[in-house]
Amino acid sequence: MLNVHLVPHTHDDVGWLKTVDQYFYGDRNDIQHAGVQYILDSVVDQLLKNPDRRFIYVETAFFYRWWKQQSSSMQQTVKKLVNEGRLEFVNGGWCMSDEATTHYSAVIDQMTMGLRFLNETFGPCGRPRVAWHIDPFGHAREHASMFAQMGYDGFFFGRLDYQDRARRRRDKEQELLWRASDSLTPPMADLFTGILPNGYNPPEGFCWDQSCDDPPIRDDPDLEDYNVDDVVRRFLAIANSQAIVYKTDHIIMTMGSDFQYENANLWYKNLDKLIHYVNALQANGSKVNVLYSTPSCYLQELHRANLTWALKMDDFFPYADDAHDFWTGYFTSRPALKRYERISNSNLQVTCNQLEVLSGPASRKGPFGEGDSQTMKKAMAVAQHHDAVSGTEKQHVANDYARRLAHGWQRCQVLVSNSLAALSGSSAERMYCDNLNISVCPLTESINVYNPLARPVTWPVRLPVNGTAYLVSDANGKSVVPVSAATREVRRNRGFAVNELVFQVQAPPLGFTTYSVSLLQDGPPPASTQHRTPTAIQNKFLRVTFDPDTGLLSSLSNLETKQTIKLTQNFYWYNASDGNNLQSDQPSGAYIFRPNSSTPFLISKTAKTESIQTSGVQEVRQWFAPWVSQVVRLYTDSKALELEWTVGPVPIDDDLGKEVITRLDTSIKTSQYFYTDSNGREMLQRKTDFRPTWNLRQSEPIAGNYYPINSRAFIKDDVDQLTVVTDRSQGGGSIHNGSLEIMLHRRLLYDDVRGVGEPLNETSNIFPKGLVVRGRLLLSLDRPPSAADAHRPLAQEVLPCQVPSSRPCEGLFSGLQAALPPAVHLLTLTQWDKDSVLLRLEHQFQSWESKLNSQPVTVNLQKLFSTLEVLGVSELNLSANQWKDEMTRFHWTPMTGTGHLNLFIRFYYISS
């Protein structure tokens, strides 16, 4: 028999055209008719009417809200449906995360939150066995690796490149085995992956939701519009056609779509009839069997088939749904929100969570009130949604995501203040530099600097001030240096400070230190400013040269390794298509990047410059246009060159949408190859105009070569490697040999007709003429065999945490007895319940990238923490919802197999 698995489902975006609250309550139906609470009400009611019916649910953020509102009797009814397999949870995270613009640490957190709720509410029957990402716009290898390590048996998604789908349909490879790590020993990161036949929609003509127009099944033979025979004939034709392009005698059909089943009776009444009439033909010899099913039941049948499956080892980026429609613009869309999300993740992960554990109960109730990390956790979890940090939501929804993050951080600040008071013994009022991005920070008598990393660090602190000279002393009273305050680059400065205080701080592992700051009334004058372009700036590690005629970078040298490359850098913009192109009517928009030409416009051939030099930093300030500037910055003890760019308001007076990039052109011989990270973790090799699994017909030479850059990208040859570390998720590629370009900002005048319904044209009360965005790129030049030893820790140091306090409170604290080895990253330290904490340690190097640090490492947990006594340890899976020794997954056999060793990750649940 050909078994057709019908999977009733709804896809409920945790924010998109409406906010998450509006979607749940069914508010603002003038924007989109959708009310999630009514969907769940209606589905439960209909499941109770027929024990054969099934339904799957995905977004725990919505289900959690609905569950809290139910009576105890209704909750027992739902538990019975779950225990009987009639209501099944799939995926199970707080949301269905984006896969291009999310950082792996935030994805793990949001998955853990959702799965924990399901585990504690429903037990083993509530644990999802299948990952379900039916709507994200491309799929990351690191996501698949994480899903495998969370214990999922398989993964289903709906979107992949139209050329890739055509090839896979032809070769019956729409179901495959994804080997999602080149370092973890198979099958640790192997994940069975299925590509759904209709995206996530029903087959054409078989949508019976109140939002659809397809005719119902009219089965009264006495009526002249009786249509059972026609419906069955069309269904059998679709089923047989689908079976041709899949491998087994089981196929799956998704029966539902966006926010469907608000009136579930419409769906189930027609599905009951469809199953009845199609199966009735078996008496006449039909070989088609239709059944209510779920993804896990379907996956079980594929596993029972005991076949071998095509092996995939790269990822599913970039995604195009037609020749000129590449979904690569959202890699950069809403760059300010992307940055704020990344800062918020740091605030939650490494400040709020860690300090709550290190200081104990005093963090949650102390001199500053009752602290709370849960509000921030929920806000961050929602922000991982594939229409949140991706930048593909309406403007009022983007504002709502940012508001939630801000509110969560306010609640976290109370917890942080209580923690610092408990650990330092001082209840001095704390003030937080939340407005450093607009050069506002209340400089007080002391600065607490918290280091979330498990190794000591040296960080530059930059504070806006009005004085000209200051005395800075460390926690032991030792004077750092009489620090002069350099004049700030004041263009578009919305704050009141005219100078900037810069000094280096040293912070212990997983701890904080205090620096006192006092104004020197008769201090030295401000640092000298030179308005001519310097020929070079250098410290003991790097030398950077400039072309005196253009003011642009000309070379970069690593003085330790004695290597030098030619390096020029400038800013350009692509003219965004308005949809009036001879080849295609597709415009650029929030999702899609579609330049009118493969040649970008150069903003300026030269840069106006001035240089600043203090005891701690050298700067060359470059102005390219009234709306584009940059500071090239080299700190005294840094092995990385910092490029701090400022872009905006992007001018649109000429009625042209613009996609702004920076491009680094080097002498490195790349031979079309470059490398980007996957969700901030493992690196993947890319090649211009090439895909590893099919023969690409390139139709968009720019957009079709863009990939997500979550934390870093690099280009290399046998001798040199230039790595660029970013401070947020961005899109980029290597269009020309030896070059690397990164898109920084987008301002567009047309919608790209993918549902959001408005152009990506951001303004605000502060910037009514258009959004101004500032960010940093960190450049390192190394020999390829040792480059990861530099860029792995560098990517972690992008987000220091500074907490000023109002009066002197000396303190030096470390939560560790000793620093962890360089290869080990303390990924998670968070309170789990009253007596236990959750710890995640990760080996952060791939097996091939470092002779020094790619080897296995042993850590003694008994001697790890300074404030915790470890009474017992139990190991869990990555999402902390199964004991590691009890986790079992389906075994799948690849058509071919390769093995890679040496990278391992340990996840612990610790009693304190």
Side-chain angles (χ1 to χ4, degrees):
M1 302 289 284
L2 172 62
N3 296 280
V4 184
H5 295 248
L6 303 183
V7 178
H9 80 105
T10 180
H11 175 58
D12 298 343
D13 290 303
V14 187
W16 179 38
L17 307 183
K18 306 198 294 188
T19 69
V20 59
D21 290 349
Q22 291 166 350
Y23 271 134
F24 179 77
Y25 286 108
D27 195 9
R28 291 302 307 273
N29 281 341
D30 57 312
I31 298 175
Q32 180 186 14
H33 186 97
V36 173
Q37 61 173 334
Y38 308 120
I39 293 172
L40 292 168
D41 288 343
S42 184
V43 164
V44 170
D45 176 68
Q46 289 300 312
L47 288 176
L48 295 172
K49 293 181 178 180
N50 182 347
D52 294 331
R53 292 173 176 175
R54 300 289 183 269
F55 194 78
I56 63 169
Y57 200 72
V58 179
E59 294 83 10
T60 304
F62 283 136
F63 189 86
Y64 167 81
R65 289 178 174 215
W66 180 83
W67 179 260
K68 290 195 305 178
Q69 297 179 358
Q70 305 310 304
S71 65
S72 58
S73 61
M74 175 56 75
Q75 289 181 348
Q76 291 303 313
T77 297
V78 174
K79 286 183 178 180
K80 185 172 185 292
L81 292 174
V82 172
N83 290 337
E84 294 174 353
R86 295 155 68 184
L87 173 62
E88 180 176 303
F89 296 102
V90 297
N91 212 63
W94 207 248
C95 70
M96 186 185 296
S97 60
D98 181 58
E99 297 194 43
T101 63
T102 48
H103 192 270
Y104 71 96
S105 61
V107 173
I108 292 170
D109 273 2
Q110 74 90 8
M111 292 297 297
T112 300
M113 177 179 287
L115 292 171
R116 180 180 184 178
F117 167 77
L118 296 178
N119 212 33
E120 294 177 349
T121 306
F122 298 103
C125 289
R127 180 172 63 82
R129 301 302 300 262
V130 169
W132 183 261
H133 268 213
I134 54 177
D135 195 28
F137 332 118
H139 302 281
R141 195 176 77 172
E142 190 60 36
H143 260 72
S145 176
M146 289 187 287
F147 288 148
Q149 295 175 73
M150 290 175 182
Y152 289 98
D153 286 320
F155 176 38
F156 291 94
F157 63 75
R159 298 185 189 269
L160 83 161
D161 188 274
Y162 74 105
Q163 293 184 45
D164 194 6
R165 181 183 287 276
R167 201 277 299 172
R168 291 184 179 279
R169 284 173 57 89
R170 184 185 69 241
D171 298 340
K172 291 191 175 183
E173 290 187 2
Q174 293 190 92
E175 290 163 335
L176 57 126
L177 185 61
W178 198 349
R179 182 149 292 164
S181 172
D182 59 11
S183 296
L184 296 176
T185 307
M188 188 174 180
D190 288 0
L191 188 66
F192 183 90
T193 301
I195 300 162
L196 298 169
N198 302 300
Y200 56 90
N201 298 309
E204 186 175 354
F206 291 86
C207 183
W208 290 306
D209 192 72
Q210 64 185 15
S211 62
C212 299
D213 298 322
D214 295 339
I217 296 178
R218 302 185 294 264
D219 57 347
D220 187 342
D222 295 331
L223 299 179
E224 64 178 66
D225 53 359
Y226 176 83
N227 67 350
V228 171
D229 295 339
D230 176 65
V231 170
V232 170
R233 176 187 57 79
R234 288 188 293 109
F235 183 83
L236 291 175
I238 289 172
N240 287 312
S241 175
Q242 182 177 324
I244 293 172
V245 296
Y246 284 86
K247 204 168 180 177
T248 74
D249 55 7
H250 290 263
I251 61 173
I252 188 172
M253 292 184 183
T254 46
M255 308 306 284
S257 193
D258 292 350
F259 298 99
Q260 295 196 357
Y261 285 79
E262 194 170 309
N263 183 352
N265 180 52
L266 298 176
W267 262 113
Y268 282 115
K269 194 164 190 174
N270 284 280
L271 288 174
D272 287 348
K273 292 180 180 181
L274 179 68
I275 293 170
H276 171 74
Y277 289 116
V278 171
N279 289 346
L281 293 183
Q282 294 173 15
N284 299 327
S286 171
K287 297 295 184 181
V288 176
N289 180 57
V290 189
L291 66 152
Y292 281 115
S293 188
T294 66
S296 62
C297 292
Y298 173 66
L299 186 69
Q300 181 171 273
E301 296 300 334
L302 298 184
H303 184 252
R304 285 174 177 168
N306 198 27
L307 302 177
T308 60
W309 305 91
L311 190 67
K312 181 177 178 65
M313 302 181 72
D314 59 314
D315 63 5
F316 289 94
F317 287 115
Y319 160 60
D321 57 15
D322 210 338
H324 302 286
D325 307 358
F326 279 86
W327 297 48
T328 54
Y330 80 97
F331 299 162
T332 297
S333 294
R334 300 194 187 279
L337 179 63
K338 282 178 165 62
R339 172 64 175 166
Y340 191 43
E341 181 274 338
R342 187 65 57 85
I343 293 173
S344 298
N345 186 43
S346 176
N347 288 340
L348 170 64
Q349 286 266 11
V350 301
T351 307
C352 202
N353 287 346
Q354 290 180 1
L355 285 172
E356 182 179 13
V357 171
L358 295 174
S359 61
S363 66
R364 295 182 287 279
K365 192 171 185 179
F368 298 96
E370 293 189 8
D372 167 29
S373 62
Q374 289 301 313
T375 303
M376 187 66 165
K377 288 178 180 177
K378 291 175 183 176
M380 270 301 300
V382 167
Q384 305 315 303
H385 170 58
H386 58 271
D387 284 308
V389 66
S390 60
T392 55
E393 63 279 78
K394 283 186 177 291
Q395 183 63 56
H396 78 103
V397 181
N399 296 343
D400 183 68
Y401 289 131
R403 180 192 60 79
R404 290 173 183 277
L405 292 172
H407 179 60
W409 176 229
Q410 288 174 349
R411 300 294 299 272
C412 261
Q413 285 177 354
V414 177
L415 189 150
V416 170
S417 295
N418 286 338
S419 298
L420 292 175
L423 295 171
S424 69
S426 169
S427 297
E429 180 186 359
R430 265 85 185 177
M431 292 176 287
Y432 295 80
C433 289
D434 293 333
N435 297 315
L436 274 176
N437 62 316
I438 56 171
S439 307
V440 174
C441 179
L443 182 65
T444 56
E445 296 179 3
S446 65
I447 305 290
N448 294 127
V449 180
Y450 181 72
N451 171 23
L453 303 179
R455 53 183 170 79
V457 297
T458 299
W459 265 321
V461 169
R462 309 181 65 88
L463 297 172
V465 297
N466 287 313
T468 58
Y470 293 81
L471 178 65
V472 179
S473 302
D474 64 17
N476 297 317
K478 180 181 177 182
S479 176
V480 175
V481 66
V483 182
S484 58
T487 304
R488 288 190 54 81
E489 184 226 347
V490 296
R491 182 183 56 80
R492 292 191 303 278
N493 178 8
R494 302 290 169 172
F496 299 101
V498 295
N499 295 328
E500 190 171 52
L501 178 63
V502 182
F503 59 96
Q504 296 281 96
V505 300
Q506 295 179 331
L510 201 69
F512 66 85
T513 186
T514 303
Y515 283 78
S516 64
V517 181
S518 57
L519 176 65
L520 295 178
Q521 297 295 332
D522 299 318
S528 60
T529 301
Q530 299 181 5
H531 291 279
R532 60 180 177 82
T533 303
T535 56
I537 56 175
Q538 75 174 68
N539 61 15
K540 58 187 176 183
F541 302 113
L542 297 178
R543 177 178 171 83
V544 186
T545 65
F546 295 82
D547 185 323
D549 296 324
T550 65
L552 304 179
L553 287 168
S554 59
S555 75
L556 176 63
S557 300
N558 184 324
L559 302 179
E560 288 186 304
T561 58
K562 297 180 172 57
Q563 60 186 126
T564 298
I565 61 169
K566 294 179 181 178
L567 171 64
T568 61
Q569 181 244 359
N570 212 324
F571 294 86
Y572 306 79
W573 59 274
Y574 288 105
N575 181 12
S577 173
D578 60 6
N580 295 317
N581 190 288
L582 293 176
Q583 291 179 309
S584 168
D585 59 359
Q586 177 61 57
S588 268
Y591 301 91
I592 289 175
F593 173 31
R594 178 108 198 285
N596 259 346
S597 169
S598 297
T599 304
F601 291 89
L602 178 64
I603 291 175
S604 176
K605 293 181 180 179
T606 62
K608 176 187 173 183
T609 65
E610 68 178 28
S611 61
I612 300 288
Q613 183 166 349
T614 72
S615 56
V617 66
Q618 301 168 68
E619 294 184 354
V620 176
R621 299 170 178 180
Q622 302 169 311
W623 286 267
F624 297 84
W627 56 282
V628 179
S629 66
Q630 180 172 261
V631 179
V632 181
R633 187 175 288 133
L634 186 62
Y635 292 102
T636 300
D637 297 319
S638 178
K639 295 184 178 182
L641 178 68
E642 179 179 309
L643 306 179
E644 186 183 63
W645 51 268
T646 305
V647 176
V650 178
I652 53 173
D653 298 341
D654 52 7
D655 294 325
L656 298 176
K658 297 175 178 64
E659 325 226 23
V660 184
I661 67 165
T662 186
R663 193 173 77 201
L664 304 164
D665 294 302
T666 76
S667 55
I668 297 175
K669 301 174 178 61
T670 57
S671 301
Q672 295 184 286
Y673 289 99
F674 61 107
Y675 299 78
T676 65
D677 67 303
S678 182
N679 297 123
R681 194 156 153 68
E682 293 193 350
M683 302 298 298
L684 293 176
Q685 185 187 75
R686 312 295 192 182
K687 186 179 181 182
T688 306
D689 295 330
F690 176 78
R691 303 291 187 267
T693 53
W694 82 90
N695 294 322
L696 176 67
R697 300 187 305 277
Q698 184 61 275
S699 50
E700 285 289 332
I702 306 300
N705 283 307
Y706 260 52
Y707 291 86
I709 301 172
N710 198 276
S711 68
R712 79 207 79 182
F714 64 78
I715 53 176
K716 69 172 184 173
D717 55 22
D718 293 339
V719 179
D720 301 307
Q721 177 171 322
L722 178 69
T723 305
V724 180
V725 173
T726 65
D727 66 349
R728 73 200 74 195
S729 288
Q730 295 167 312
S734 179
I735 308 302
H736 310 287
N737 281 330
S739 80
L740 184 65
E741 68 179 57
I742 297 175
M743 187 179 291
L744 306 177
H745 200 353
R746 316 179 73 216
R747 191 176 189 187
L748 309 172
L749 305 181
Y750 297 90
D751 175 54
D752 55 12
V753 201
R754 290 305 184 277
V756 74
E758 63 183 35
L760 186 66
N761 184 5
E762 295 182 278
T763 61
S764 70
N765 293 333
I766 296 177
F767 298 117
K769 294 183 178 180
L771 195 66
V772 178
V773 183
R774 175 173 288 169
R776 292 190 299 155
L777 303 175
L778 302 180
L779 276 57
S780 65
L781 176 65
D782 300 278
R783 301 298 184 192
S786 61
D789 299 330
H791 73 66
R792 285 287 175 187
L794 188 63
Q796 295 172 353
E797 295 174 13
V798 175
L799 292 168
C801 180
Q802 302 163 24
V803 186
S805 69
S806 61
R807 63 177 185 267
C809 67
E810 294 183 2
L812 184 67
F813 167 81
S814 175
L816 299 183
Q817 294 186 38
L820 286 174
V824 181
H825 177 220
L826 195 157
L827 178 62
T828 303
L829 180 63
T830 187
Q831 198 73 34
W832 188 257
D833 56 29
K834 182 175 179 292
D835 298 315
S836 57
V837 301
L838 178 66
L839 169 69
R840 291 189 180 98
L841 300 178
E842 65 165 326
H843 195 304
Q844 63 175 332
F845 285 81
Q846 285 172 263
S847 61
W848 51 266
E849 66 182 3
S850 171
K851 292 181 180 179
L852 182 64
N853 289 311
S854 286
Q855 304 305 313
V857 179
T858 299
V859 175
N860 187 337
L861 294 176
Q862 288 285 82
K863 298 181 179 179
L864 185 58
F865 296 104
S866 63
T867 65
L868 303 178
E869 180 184 0
V870 180
L871 302 179
V873 177
S874 298
E875 191 173 5
L876 292 98
N877 65 343
L878 178 55
S879 48
N881 66 327
Q882 295 179 76
W883 301 113
K884 186 71 177 291
D885 57 4
E886 295 177 1
M887 188 180 84
T888 59
R889 299 198 303 136
F890 285 160
H891 176 76
W892 305 89
T893 305
M895 287 181 179
T896 58
T898 57
H900 302 266
L901 304 172
N902 296 338
L903 180 66
F904 62 91
I905 309 177
R906 297 290 188 187
F907 307 97
Y908 295 99
Y909 182 82
I910 301 182
S911 298
S912 60

